[in-house]
Structures are given as C-alpha cells and as structure tokens.
C-alpha cells in the first residue's frame, strides 16, 4: 500500500508513557510534521520537544532496512527475510533440543506494541515452554507492578489524568516530571494556575526543574524515602480515616504498631530534612484530596517495592483512594510498558495480569491458545539482570533482544558486554544499526517504526489506543509482531496463522475478559473507530473506566486493600573513604534513553550536547573541579569521563549523571559503567539510583578509554 501526495493521520507518541496523541502529516512516504491532537485526553494539543521532532528520525542513514547476518570476518552482510527466519528458528530449535527450554530467552521492551509483546509471550511461554521472557520494564516498572498488586490486588493505576484538575495536594516523589513526563506536568502547572491554593510537594534529592516549581521541595538524602514516608505516616496517624480503614482495608493494626515503635526524630534525621519541612508536608496532606505521582526515584531501588507500598499505605491511611482527585499514580516510563504488563511479557506474568506461578492461570491461558494443559512452565523465568548473569555463566545460551539497547542501558555494563560476547546466539531486532547492542548481534532484524505499522498500546492512565499505519516501512522492515509470527510458523507452532493484525488483537483482548485489565469490550473494529478507551471495559457497549475502585472494592480475595509494614534495609552499596560520593542517575528533557532517535535531532542536541555530571561546589572545590572541566568518575566497577556541571541544585555529597550517551557516541561516558546490579528482592528491579563513587579532575591528556584499565592512573589528585 503506497500513500501518494499529502496525507495525514493520528498516532501515539512512541516516547514516554504520557501517551500523547499525534497529528501526523506526510508527503508520500515521508513525514513532514507532527502536532498534538486537540481533543486527546492525554495531551489536549500539547507535545514536548521530543515528540514534536519525531518526524526527523524515521528515514535516517543508519535506519535498518534489511536483515543482516554477522560474517566470519566480524562484519555484517544482507540476507533475505526467509533466510533470517530459517536461521533463527533452526538455532532456537537446536538449543532447545540440546540444552532444554530454559536455555533460550526473549528480552523485550515497553517500547514494543501490545500485539508484539503478546506474541513473544505466546511463542516463548506457550510454544518453547520457558518463562525466560522479560523486558526492560523490569528495569523500570517492576516495583510499581508488585506494589499495586500486593496492596490493591491488581497492577495498574487507579487514577486518571483528569484527577490532576481535582487534586488539592499533589505529591511528586522520585519523579522529575518536568523533564520526563512534561505534558502531564503541564497539567499540574495548569492546576496550580487555576487553583492557586493547590499545594505541590516534590520529594527529590535534586532541585530539578520539577522541584523549582514546587511549594515544598524536600531534598531528602538519596534512598531515605521509607524513613520519610514513615515519618509522614506517624505525623498523620491522628488524621487517619478510621471509617475507611475499618471497612476497606486489612493490616492496619500491624502498621500502626510498627509506627508506634519508630522514633520520629530518628526517622527525620535519616532523611537529613529539616523537621519543619516534614511537618509542613504532613500539614499539606491533612484533610485535602491527595494525588501522588512517583517514578524511578521510588522504583529503581533495592527497596523499590517497599517504597511503592509505603506510598499506598499513606493513601489508605488517609482514605485518599477511589475518588476523583486522589490516589497513588505511578507514572509509566515507556510508551507501552503498561501494555507489556497486560500482555504478560514480564517473566512472572501471563496475559491478562495472570501469573506463571498460578496453576489455574496457566491452564486458562493454555486453553485459550488450544495448547495442552501442561504446556506452560511453572518454573520461574529469568528476569532482565538475571538473564545477562546467566548468559555469562553459560546457563543461558541464546537471547533475542527486541526494542531495547541493553549494551547501554543495563546496570554494570562491563558484565553485560561480557555476557553478550559469551552468548551462543544474539538476535537483535531494532530500527537502527549500529547501536551499542546490534554490534554484539549474530543476526540483526529491521523493525518497522510506530508510523509504519498498525499497533495498539496503553498509556499511564490505562488508555488503550490504536494507531494505524501511515507510511510504508523503510526497506524491508517489518512490524515486530510479524517477525515473531514468522519465526513461530517456521518452528511449526500452532496458533500463529492469524489472517490479520485485527485477529491477533482480538485473540489477546478476549483473553483479558473477566480480569482486572479487562479489554474484552475493545474489539479491533471498535478501537479503530473509538481511537482510545480506558480499561476495564468488559463489553462492547461499555464506555471504559476513568477511575477504578470508586466502589472501594479492591481486587484482593476479600476485597480489602492491604497495609504493609516495610522495614528499611538501606541501599546496597555504601560510601566510604575511597568512594565518598553518592552517584544517582537519570534523564534529561532533551534525550530519550540511549539516543538512537533524539541523538539525531540537532535542536535537541543543542540543548544537551554531551555527557555531564552535576556536582555541588562543596564537592567540586576541594577536588579542583571547575564548571565545564572534564572529570573522571570512578568506582570498583569502572569509570566514565564526563564534563562537570558545578551546581547548587544537587546536594553536597551526591552527584548525578545520565545513561543517554553510549560508547558509539561518547566512549566511556555512560553511567552504567558505574551502576551495580543489586536488585529489589521481590521485583528484581536494579538499584540504578545509588552507587558509591569518587570524582577527580582530569588535568592531563589521557588516551581514550578503555586503553587505561586502572582508573586511578588518570587521576591527578
Ligand atoms: N526526556 C525523557 N523523558 C523520559 C525518558 C527519557 O529517557 N527522557 N524515559 C522515560 C522512562 S522509560 C522513564 S522510566 C521515565 C523516568 O522518569 P523519572 O523517574 O522522572 O526520571 P529519572 O531522571 O530517572 O528519575 C527521577 C528522579 O529521581 C530522583 N531520585 C534519585 N534518587 C532518589 C531517591 O532515593 N528518592 C527520591 N525520592 N528521588 C530520587 C532523581 O534525582 C531524579 O530527579 O521517564 C520517561 N520519560
Ligand atoms: N543508569 C541508568 N540506567 C537506566 C535507567 C536509569 O534511570 N539509570 N533507566 C532504566 C529504564 S527505566 C529503562 S526503561 C531503560 C531503557 O533502556 P533501553 O530500552 O535500552 O533504551 P532505548 O534507547 O529506548 O532503546 C530502545 C531501542 O529500541 C529501538 N526501537 C525503537 N522503536 C522500536 C520498535 O518499534 N521496534 C524495535 N524492534 N525497536 C525499536 C531503539 O532504536 C533503541 O535501540 O533504561 C534503564 N537504564
Ligand atoms: S510528553 Fe511524552 S508522550 Fe508526550 S510528546 Fe513528550 S515524549 Fe511524547
Ligand atoms: Mo523506564
């Protein structure tokens, strides 16, 4: 199908989980403009700079056009799709037969559409019989998913964007919304303009652009959120909504008893916050409708699940849930991390918020697929970090990576690179080549992008949207789901001969029937005309659901929400004399992750041209570090070279850098050479937000990394 002349259509932004609807204009197969859709719930005409420049990055010189195979000489050569599919199916079949089902793995992404995530789950869990099917959402949303399901009985936020306009106090904890979810942050600013008495409370060690706009900014010590949340709960005990607690929750007695044992002064001392600020925050929560946004400052921690549960505890304590303008609102990172969770891409999940560990759930899914009852394995699958550990030891032989760039984004990168070198088979499915990860591939498969295919996704507020194909894919690129489907067919698998994408979607959405994320009423045909609908939406006449739990009936077996007692364990790595600074990592407004797209937009690079390190003058001064000077940040795992940004927006003792620049763009500048792979014991999400490091000025010329293996050789201390 070709598209002659000027034409236009609607799509959804393939960057963050806000899920802005885009009005896309094209000339033939070339995009010429992207604007916000005026009547879209998520953005009402707004877009951020990244979204508005998307049209630049479709047909670039490094766009992958054909399947590529590694040659004996180490380069790549073009091969046909038929050959690529045959090779992959043959290798997977061979490894499966020789080493068993758990010798192969799929590592996907919250940037895959729901159709692709569902099909990967069906192929690996249903056909190959392994739960080694995880995604980069493990690095991102796993703690939130466990937090919601342990407290409310189901994953997925109770809230919607319209709640912002009704909230009286908006708490933003561990989220830099102004840079990472800018269009939703616009709603927060709008609320403040419309109702100036609205209180905005930002809990973040750094004075971020989000914190700049807060009424109260709490620059707590990194990692001390549990102490902070417990101090708040203790201060708010007299304000507890005891009627709500008695009727709709369990576990309050244990929670109250735990708080009674805690010493308020000790908790506040742990956060390093002035007591008055904590008391002012409690005051801002009293008797007001409270909406709490939270993101990676909560999730990417060894206590990620506990932090999520402690946020929900506060809402249960105050009865601030299941009503307009209130609730715990976990911000989703990627465009379709929600859809990935709904379709069972994480290792512990099955489609429809089912669990691999649940025998009844396994049987339900197998029956829907027409597979024998025992087809699905009860063995726990490897999660993201565990996959790369198992690849290095040889326990895992093959990894199929789609829509993620782990050779830049995983923690402890040296380990990840060793793992990729060790693997017997690495298949990488991306839109561009080279990336840090495609360089490790045996086979590289070209994926069609968001405007080049029909696809479905779910945003942060449970809004499910269908996006039609607006232009033809470049070269021979195919939608991710079509690539997975062809491999399944080549493996001789039953149940992959879908006559259309619609048939594939309909198979999935009927499997969610009766589940908390019920999308049964969203047939492909209805979604195509309605454009967007919020789950739960159980039947075709159902209008969709803006807010969950308005009836206070939670998804737990007894219908009651659960309080949890969360004892702090503290960060995995501690600072010491050798590595006295805390490194925290995250994002900048101008770039999307490993920059495979934003790195090509001149105006975005102008805003953030290269890797930098935020450091306080107290820490920079004694080290002889001036603003704009090159520095080396090092620890026991590695070192990076970045440019110092001496600033008082970061507290003394803490430094901040990003993982936006991989080795292809700025060798040895990526935060992940320094991060470690300690995991939250429940969610298995890594603690990207806390590592111990030292920083030193580079005063002499040093050869480009990694020639120098001992980072201290570079230091001129
Ligand atoms: N521009 C841009 N936007 C994005 C992305 C992007 O790459 N670029 N990525 C998307 C994705 S996938 C995600 S997951 C989201 C992430 O969105 P955010 O979570 O908002 O972004 P981060 O910068 O990772 O971290 C947020 C904040 O956590 C703070 N923090 C660090 N340690 C702690 C702590 O111990 N406690 C508290 N309370 N805060 C702490 C950091 O200082 C930082 O400001 O952004 C999405 N949006
Ligand atoms: N230090 C540190 N590291 C972090 C984090 C942090 O805060 N600090 N955050 C973590 C988090 S929350 C996340 S989500 C991850 C993100 O990490 P990644 O997922 O590795 O980052 P991206 O650069 O978004 O990689 C996505 C890849 O998919 C490709 N792609 C885009 N669209 C498609 C498509 O439709 N199909 C296919 N097949 N490919 C596509 C892109 O070209 C790109 O190569 O990083 C994690 N790493
Ligand atoms: S706020 Fe997020 S979804 Fe909206 S345009 Fe920006 S990156 Fe895209
Ligand atoms: Mo993320």
């Amino acid at each position: 199908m070709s598209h002659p002349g000027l034409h236009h259509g609607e799509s959804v932004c393939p960057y963050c989980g806000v899920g802005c609807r885009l009005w896309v204009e094209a000339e033939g197969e070339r995009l010429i403009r992207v604007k916000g859709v005026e009547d879209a719930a998520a953005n009402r005409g707004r877009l951020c700079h990244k979204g508005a420049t998307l049209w630049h990055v479709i047909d670039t010189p490094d766009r992958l056009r054909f399947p590529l195979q590694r040659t004996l000489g180490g380069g790549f050569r073009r091969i046909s799709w038929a050959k690529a599919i045959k090779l992959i199916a043959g290798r997977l079949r061979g490894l499966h037969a020789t080493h068993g089902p758990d010798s192969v793995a799929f590592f996907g992404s919250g940037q895959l559409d729901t159709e692709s995530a569902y099909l990967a789950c069906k192929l690996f869990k249903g056909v190959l019989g392994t739960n080694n099917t995880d995604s980069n959402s493990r690095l991102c949303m796993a703690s939130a998913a466990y937090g919601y399901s342990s407290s409310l009985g189901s994953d997925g936020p109770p809230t919607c964007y319209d709640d912002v306009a009704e909230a009286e106090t908006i708490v933003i904890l561990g989220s830099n919304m102004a840079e990472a979810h800018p269009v939703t942050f616009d709603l927060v600013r709008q609320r403040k303009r419309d109702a100036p008495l609205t209180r905005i409370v930002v809990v973040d060690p750094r004075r971020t652009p989000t914190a700049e706009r807060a009424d109260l900014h709490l620059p707590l010590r990194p990692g001390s959120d549990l102490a902070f949340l417990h101090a708040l709960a203790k201060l708010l005990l007299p304000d507890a909504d005891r009627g709500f607690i008695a009727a709709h929750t369990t576990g309050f007695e244990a929670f109250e008893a735990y708080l009674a044992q805690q010493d308020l002064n000790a908790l506040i001392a742990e956060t390093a916050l002035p007591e008055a600020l904590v008391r002012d925050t409690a005051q801002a929560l009293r008797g007001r409708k409270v909406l709490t946004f939270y993101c990676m400052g909560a999730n990417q921690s060894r206590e990620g699940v506990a932090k999520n549960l402690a946020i929900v505890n506060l809402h249960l304590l105050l009865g601030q849930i299941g009503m307009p303008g209130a609730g715990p609102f976990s911000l989703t990172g990627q465009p379709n991390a929600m859809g990935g969770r709904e379709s069972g891409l994480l290792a512990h999940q099955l489609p429809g918020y089912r669990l691999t560990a649940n025998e009844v759930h396994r049987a339900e899914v197998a029956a829907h697929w027409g597979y024998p009852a025992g087809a699905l394995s009860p063995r726990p699958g490897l999660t993201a970090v565990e996959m790369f550990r198992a690849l290095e030891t040889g326990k895992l032989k093959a990894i199929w990576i789609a829509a993620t760039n782990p050779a830049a984004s995983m923690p402890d990168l040296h380990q990840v690179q060793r793992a990729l070198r060790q693997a017997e088979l690495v298949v990488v499915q991306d839109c561009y080549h080279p990336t840090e990860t495609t360089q490790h591939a045996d086979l590289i498969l070209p994926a069609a992008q968001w405007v080049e295919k029909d696809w479905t996704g779910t945003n942060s507020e449970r809004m499910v949207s269908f996006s039609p194909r607006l232009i033809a894919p470049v070269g021979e690129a195919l939608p991710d789901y079509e690539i997975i489907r062809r491999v399944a067919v080549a493996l001789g698998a039953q149940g992959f001969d879908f006559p259309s994408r619609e048939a594939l979607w309909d198979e999935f959405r009927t499997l969610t029937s009766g589940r908390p994320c019920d999308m049964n009423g969203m047939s492909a045909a209805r979604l195509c005309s309605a454009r967007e609908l919020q789950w739960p939406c159980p039947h075709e006449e159902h209008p969709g659901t803006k807010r969950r739990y308005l009836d206070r009936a939670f998804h737990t077996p007894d219908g009651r929400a659960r309080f949890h007692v969360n004892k702090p364990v503290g960060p995995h790595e501690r600072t010491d004399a050798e590595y006295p600074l805390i490194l925290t990592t995250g994002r900048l407004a101008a770039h999307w992750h490993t920059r495979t797209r934003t790195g090509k937009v001149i105006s975005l690079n102008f805003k953030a041209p290269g890797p930098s390190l935020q450091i306080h003058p107290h820490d920079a001064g004694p080290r002889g570090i001036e603003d704009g000077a090159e520095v080396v940040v090092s620890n026991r795992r590695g070192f990076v070279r970045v440019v110092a940004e001496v600033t008082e927006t970061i507290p003394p003792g803490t430094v901040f850098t990003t993982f936006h620049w991989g080795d292809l763009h700025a060798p040895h500048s990526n935060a992940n050479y320094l991060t470690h792979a300690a995991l939250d014991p429940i969610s298995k999400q890594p603690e990207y937000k806390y590592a111990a490091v030292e920083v030193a000025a580079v005063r002499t010329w040093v050869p480009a990394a990694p020639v120098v293996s001992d980072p201290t050789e570079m230091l001129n201390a």
Side-chain angles (χ1 to χ4, degrees):
M1 184 175 52
S2 66
H3 306 86
L6 287 171
H7 58 105
H8 51 75
E10 277 188 32
S11 190
V12 171
C13 178
Y15 287 134
C16 85
V18 171
C20 294
R21 283 196 78 84
L22 309 176
W23 174 257
V24 182
E25 294 174 1
E27 188 172 4
E29 310 300 344
R30 198 170 57 89
L31 297 196
I32 51 176
R33 196 149 77 128
V34 170
K35 293 193 295 183
V37 171
E38 291 297 333
D39 65 346
N43 53 314
R44 293 166 206 159
R46 297 176 178 93
L47 284 188
C48 76
H49 199 140
K50 290 188 305 297
T53 50
L54 266 165
W55 57 277
H56 286 283
V57 295
I58 304 294
D59 194 356
T60 58
D62 65 343
R63 195 56 210 279
L64 257 171
R65 282 152 215 280
F66 311 102
L68 300 175
Q69 182 187 20
R70 182 179 291 283
T71 61
L72 286 176
F76 289 96
R77 69 183 172 116
R78 177 178 169 183
I79 56 171
S80 69
W81 268 117
K83 181 156 186 210
I85 300 290
K86 198 165 160 225
L87 276 169
I88 296 169
R91 293 294 305 276
L92 287 179
R93 190 185 288 116
L95 290 166
H96 192 270
T98 319
H99 302 287
D102 291 336
S103 64
V104 301
F106 185 86
F107 184 51
S109 165
Q111 294 171 68
L112 288 173
D113 48 62
T114 303
E115 289 85 345
S116 305
Y118 172 69
L119 224 48
C121 177
K122 185 173 182 182
L123 172 58
F124 276 74
K125 288 176 175 152
V127 177
L128 294 169
T130 177
N131 290 322
N132 293 343
T133 312
D134 213 48
S135 87
N136 63 1
S137 294
R138 182 70 60 181
L139 316 171
C140 181
M141 303 312 300
S143 298
Y146 278 96
Y148 274 141
S149 35
S150 309
S151 56
L152 308 180
S154 152
D155 188 10
T159 42
C160 64
Y161 296 142
D162 282 353
D163 285 325
V164 176
E166 307 215 25
E168 292 163 338
T169 292
I170 300 173
V171 180
I172 302 172
L173 184 144
S175 148
N176 181 7
M177 283 177 86
E179 296 199 69
H181 295 93
V183 166
T184 307
F185 191 62
D186 273 356
L187 299 181
V188 174
R189 296 181 68 190
Q190 184 69 45
R191 172 64 180 159
K192 181 75 184 174
R193 278 194 294 274
D194 294 345
L197 293 180
T198 310
R199 306 288 279 164
I200 300 174
V201 181
V202 173
V203 187
D204 193 310
R206 299 186 301 134
R207 200 171 76 233
T208 58
T210 314
E212 294 279 2
R213 292 175 177 96
D215 297 295
L216 292 172
H217 171 215
L218 293 102
L220 81 181
R221 197 200 307 273
S224 67
D225 300 75
L226 279 183
F228 168 71
L229 292 162
H230 287 155
L232 267 188
K234 208 172 154 81
L235 287 168
L236 289 166
L237 265 182
D239 306 271
D241 182 342
R242 295 198 178 250
F244 170 84
I245 292 170
H248 303 297
T249 70
T250 57
F252 180 65
E253 294 72 21
F255 181 59
E256 195 175 24
Y258 176 75
L259 290 180
Q261 293 161 11
Q262 304 298 305
D263 175 49
L264 184 65
N265 294 328
L267 290 175
I268 295 177
E270 173 73 24
T271 65
L273 292 168
E275 184 177 331
L277 211 46
V278 182
R279 288 189 183 274
D280 286 350
T281 304
Q283 186 56 29
L285 301 185
R286 273 193 189 102
R288 295 162 70 91
K289 282 193 271 178
V290 181
L291 187 65
T292 306
F293 287 109
Y294 44 107
C295 206
M296 293 308 118
N299 296 355
Q300 289 174 339
S301 156
R302 201 157 61 121
E303 301 173 334
V305 176
K307 288 191 196 182
N308 273 266
L309 290 170
I311 292 168
V312 179
N313 279 347
L314 262 188
H315 282 267
L316 298 180
L317 179 74
L318 299 171
Q320 290 294 311
I321 189 165
M323 63 166 110
F329 199 158
S330 157
L331 286 163
T332 313
Q334 298 172 89
N336 196 35
M338 290 281 289
R341 280 142 80 180
E342 292 149 13
S343 56
L345 192 59
L346 290 176
H348 65 289
Q349 297 174 330
L350 290 171
Y353 282 171
R354 291 179 178 87
L355 299 172
T356 54
N358 184 318
E359 195 178 347
V360 177
H361 288 178
R362 290 198 304 275
E364 284 169 1
V365 174
H368 192 78
W369 288 341
Y371 296 165
L376 277 67
S377 162
R379 293 183 305 279
L382 296 169
T383 63
V385 166
E386 294 166 335
M387 280 183 183
F388 289 88
R389 300 277 146 168
L391 269 183
E392 190 181 3
T393 61
K395 194 171 158 259
L396 184 65
K397 309 286 179 198
I399 190 163
W400 178 351
I401 297 167
T404 179
N405 188 6
S409 60
M410 290 290 293
D412 193 4
L413 272 188
H414 285 297
Q415 190 282 326
V416 171
Q417 291 166 356
R418 287 198 302 273
L420 287 169
R421 283 196 293 269
Q422 193 67 31
E424 285 189 27
L425 174 69
V426 178
V427 177
V428 181
Q429 189 164 309
D430 204 292
C431 307
Y432 305 97
H433 169 68
T435 71
E436 286 76 10
T437 305
T438 60
Q439 290 179 310
H440 290 275
D442 299 296
L443 282 155
I444 309 177
L445 308 177
Q449 291 215 30
W450 52 290
V451 265
E452 298 170 335
K453 61 180 176 182
D454 292 334
W455 62 282
T456 314
T458 311
N459 75 11
S460 257
E461 62 159 357
R462 293 172 281 104
M463 185 72 85
V464 181
S465 331
F466 168 70
S467 297
R469 171 174 141 150
L470 299 174
I471 55 173
V474 301
E476 294 179 0
L478 289 175
D480 291 287
Y481 50 81
E482 177 58 17
I483 303 173
I484 298 165
R485 198 192 68 78
R486 289 190 188 185
V487 172
V489 170
L491 281 165
Q494 301 300 305
F496 287 82
D497 48 357
F498 300 98
S500 62
R501 186 217 53 97
E502 286 80 356
L504 162 55
W505 168 260
D506 284 335
E507 179 183 296
F508 163 66
R509 59 101 189 169
T510 50
L511 183 49
T512 65
S513 179
R515 299 295 305 158
C517 57
D518 198 330
M519 289 171 245
N520 192 41
M522 305 182 187
S523 64
R526 183 177 180 201
L527 214 43
C528 183
S529 57
R531 297 188 307 178
E532 46 183 32
L533 284 163
Q534 264 166 308
W535 63 252
C537 176
H539 55 81
E540 286 279 314
E541 284 73 45
H542 195 285
T545 309
K546 242 184 198 327
R547 299 179 175 92
R548 299 168 84 192
Y549 311 128
L550 291 177
D551 57 358
R552 308 295 178 76
F554 297 96
H555 279 290
T556 50
D558 59 7
R560 288 163 174 268
R562 305 242 177 296
F563 279 94
H564 284 265
V565 171
N566 311 292
K567 296 192 180 118
V569 289
H572 167 78
E573 192 166 76
R574 302 299 164 105
T575 54
D576 55 22
E578 208 178 342
Y579 298 110
L581 299 171
I582 300 168
L583 171 76
T584 190
T585 67
R587 299 159 167 77
L588 303 175
H591 288 297
W592 179 258
H593 297 160
T594 67
R595 295 172 69 255
T596 60
R597 287 185 292 221
T598 53
K600 296 170 182 125
V601 180
I602 292 167
S603 56
L604 292 173
N605 281 292
F606 198 70
K607 289 183 177 214
S612 62
L613 180 86
Q614 295 177 0
I615 182 167
H616 191 276
H618 277 340
D619 298 318
R623 290 173 174 81
I625 294 169
E626 286 172 11
D627 190 48
E630 193 179 350
V631 294
V632 171
V633 191
S634 61
N635 66 13
R636 292 181 178 88
R637 288 169 295 280
F639 65 94
V640 302
R641 294 164 52 141
V642 290
V643 171
E645 180 194 336
V646 179
T647 167
E648 290 186 358
T649 61
I650 187 132
T654 300
V655 293
F656 170 87
T657 189
T658 75
F659 63 111
H660 291 315
W661 281 268
D663 284 345
L664 277 174
H665 306 277
H668 268 254
S669 301
N670 190 308
N672 286 324
Y673 283 115
L674 303 167
T675 54
H676 57 73
L679 306 178
D680 178 293
I682 299 165
S683 69
K684 307 284 177 76
Q685 179 161 351
E687 188 165 64
Y688 283 116
K689 294 284 187 263
Y690 200 111
V693 298
E694 177 56 300
V695 182
V698 178
R699 297 223 187 86
T700 49
W701 181 87
V702 284
V707 178
V708 180
S709 56
D710 177 358
T712 53
E713 283 176 35
M714 294 187 169
L715 311 185
N716 192 0

